[in-house]
């Protein structure tokens, strides 16, 4: 078990996998690895970059009930075995997406900047989280 503290206060206690996969707050989500925090419909959610699929918006995307967001790639960081994409969302906010470079060259990855994309992920990977301690509701 591990405990994540913020300013001397316990934010969450659990197994490493539990804390990583189910962060209790935005602070925990950011403290234990990279996590995207997104506000939608008056709620705050976390989704890990590796859980997000990035697909061509003209392809229609998945039909399996996945959550989807449209956006444009604003930045690309090629890091050898993976590429990190920053996507500005049409509905506001941004998400970081990590893709393994199984069949992508560095030039293909870097040419993606500015392209429109459809992001999708399974609803079970979109975890509702509480506001950070000291943060007022609706202040985001």
């Amino acid at each position: 078990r591990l405990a994540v503290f913020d300013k001397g206060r316990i934010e969450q206690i659990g197994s490493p996998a539990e804390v990583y996969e189910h962060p209790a707050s935005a602070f925990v989500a950011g403290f234990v690895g990279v996590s995207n925090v997104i506000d939608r419909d008056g709620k705050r959610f976390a989704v890990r970059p590796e859980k997000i699929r990035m697909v061509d918006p003209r392809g229609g995307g998945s039909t399996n009930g996945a959550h989807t967001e449209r956006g444009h790639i604003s930045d690309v960081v090629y890091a050898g075995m993976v590429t990190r994409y920053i996507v500005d969302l049409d509905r506001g906010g941004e998400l970081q997406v990590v893709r393994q470079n199984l069949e992508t060259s560095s030039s293909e990855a870097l040419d993606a900047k500015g392209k429109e994309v459809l992001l999708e992920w399974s609803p079970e990977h979109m975890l509702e989280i509480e506001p950070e301690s000291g943060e007022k509701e609706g202040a985001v």
Side-chain angles (χ1 to χ4, degrees):
R1 290 174 52 125
L2 66 89
V4 178
F5 287 80
D6 182 22
K7 299 176 186 142
R9 185 174 160 264
I10 295 174
E11 289 285 326
Q12 186 171 355
I13 297 174
S15 71
E18 179 185 345
V19 172
Y20 182 83
E21 294 286 337
H22 303 284
S25 68
F27 176 81
V28 174
F31 185 81
V32 184
V34 174
S35 191
N36 294 297
V37 176
I38 184 172
D39 294 304
R40 291 292 181 258
D41 304 318
K43 296 180 181 175
R44 177 171 280 183
F45 300 93
V47 61
R48 298 286 183 188
E50 70 273 12
K51 302 293 186 185
I52 301 171
R53 291 179 300 282
M54 188 166 55
V55 297
D56 185 336
R58 296 170 296 234
S62 171
T63 59
N64 63 0
H67 180 88
T68 60
E69 294 275 345
R70 291 185 177 272
H72 291 81
I73 298 172
S74 64
D75 199 14
V76 179
V77 178
Y78 183 83
M81 68 181 207
V82 297
T83 299
R84 287 185 189 90
Y85 299 88
I86 304 298
V87 179
D88 287 332
L89 302 175
D90 292 351
R91 292 179 57 199
E94 71 177 25
L95 293 178
Q96 183 178 146
V97 180
V98 176
R99 293 179 81 184
Q100 192 171 5
N101 293 323
L102 296 173
E103 299 173 8
T104 306
S105 70
S106 60
S107 62
E108 288 172 310
L110 294 170
D111 285 344
K113 192 170 181 178
K115 289 187 178 178
E116 181 182 4
V117 292
L118 178 67
L119 304 180
E120 59 182 29
W121 59 88
S122 299
E124 64 264 17
H125 294 137
M126 188 172 177
L127 306 166
E128 188 171 355
I129 57 175
E130 296 295 321
E132 292 181 25
S133 56
E135 187 174 270
K136 294 179 184 173
E137 286 292 321
V140 177

